[in-house]
Amino acid sequence: MAGAPARYLVFFQYFGTRYSGVMETKSDQALVGVQNYLEKAAEQLKPSAPIKFHISSRTDSGVHALANAAHLDIQRAPGRAPFTGPQLLHGLNHFLKPEPIRILSAQRVSSTFHARFCALSRTYIYRLLLGCAHRSQIPVFEQDLCWAPPGGPLDVPAMRAAAQLLLGTHDFSTFRSPHPEAAAQSPVRTLQLLQLQPGHGLLGQHHLHRGLEFWEVKVKSKSFLYRQVRRMVGALVAVGQGRMAPGQLQQLLELRDPRALPPHATAPPEGLFLHSVEYSQADLALPCTPAEEELCGLS
């Protein structure tokens, strides 16, 4: 008789341009989800039951992840030991080639662990490139990895002042997607961090791109509404361009109406990166077996 399946937490990254998003989609679409490729790779490990990735954080088409997270249960044939973390890491990465998806780590966790509901917080970074008069001036190594807003320099102090107005617990209805499905979620969220900081270009130390300047918007919360980060970044850029005063951002927040933010104010997906998903060490701890408890003198 087969034993209980082993549960694992995996952290993984991906270049999101070629996918419909992270979530699974029908395989006959032109673009499919990252989850499709993760589960296809897992099938090659010869489990005795289908493997489902339960993903922590949803990302849209064109959005990237430096480290997303998921849990999965793997049932092996009777007599076969559970995979170790390193075995699962190397096995999945082998079968993910040549997709721009990589497993960063894999570890056993408790059967009660849930990658989505156990997450303490999620951190996103949005990369801005300033100094491009036209999209054609974006360095080739930065294509699809940043947003170059049109116009001149941004008023960074004004953007930082506006960002302070969004910190804390608020009803973020104005900054969620106007899509009807988004209305099913509670709009109240708590922003633990929202800061604008200088960024760096890829390979910038080897070739200086004259007049180009990178900035990053870093935002952290336990969870976000659909499109919330991109809509907040779009509004902050509007402040930086002088099209909106910082105080108007407060007024938009108080309106609690997703239609109050113009559709064109949403920042495009290519500049957005899921930076990290954080868990408590207590949730990641794997309970001892009765034999281990006896060995450690815990029973």
Side-chain angles (χ1 to χ4, degrees), residues 50-191:
I51 294 176
K52 179 80 171 176
F53 278 70
H54 300 268
I55 294 173
S56 165
S57 304
R58 173 178 177 169
T59 59
D60 282 344
S61 177
V63 176
H64 317 288
L66 299 176
N68 205 337
H71 78 261
L72 60 151
D73 294 329
I74 302 181
Q75 178 80 58
R76 301 198 75 190
R80 305 204 68 178
F83 290 114
T84 66
Q87 286 173 334
L88 182 58
L89 170 76
H90 295 304
L92 288 174
N93 277 336
H94 175 75
F95 292 113
L96 281 167
K97 298 174 183 175
E99 294 298 321
I101 306 168
R102 291 293 176 271
I103 307 298
L104 301 171
S105 66
Q107 67 183 90
R108 286 283 301 274
V109 287
S110 164
S111 61
T112 60
F113 176 86
H114 197 289
R116 179 182 172 193
F117 299 120
C118 288
L120 295 178
S121 62
R122 290 140 173 110
T123 301
Y124 284 85
I125 285 178
Y126 196 98
R127 300 181 71 237
L128 298 168
L129 173 57
L130 309 184
C132 290
H134 189 270
R135 184 176 174 81
S136 63
Q137 294 179 351
I138 299 175
V140 65
F141 294 108
E142 293 289 352
Q143 294 288 339
D144 299 321
L145 294 172
C146 62
W147 176 31
L154 297 180
D155 184 343
V156 172
M159 294 172 70
R160 285 175 167 159
Q164 290 298 309
L165 301 174
L166 298 177
L167 279 174
T169 303
H170 304 283
D171 181 324
F172 282 98
S173 292
T174 298
F175 294 96
R176 70 179 174 188
S177 169
H179 194 281
E181 288 183 9
Q185 291 181 297
S186 166
V188 177
R189 293 291 187 272
T190 300
L191 289 192

Side-chain angles (χ1 to χ4, degrees), residues 9 107 109 113 118-121 277-285:
L9 166 66
Q107 67 183 90
V109 287
F113 176 86
C118 288
L120 295 178
S121 62
V277 184
E278 296 81 28
Y279 298 97
S280 73
Q281 288 304 309
D283 282 333
L284 298 182

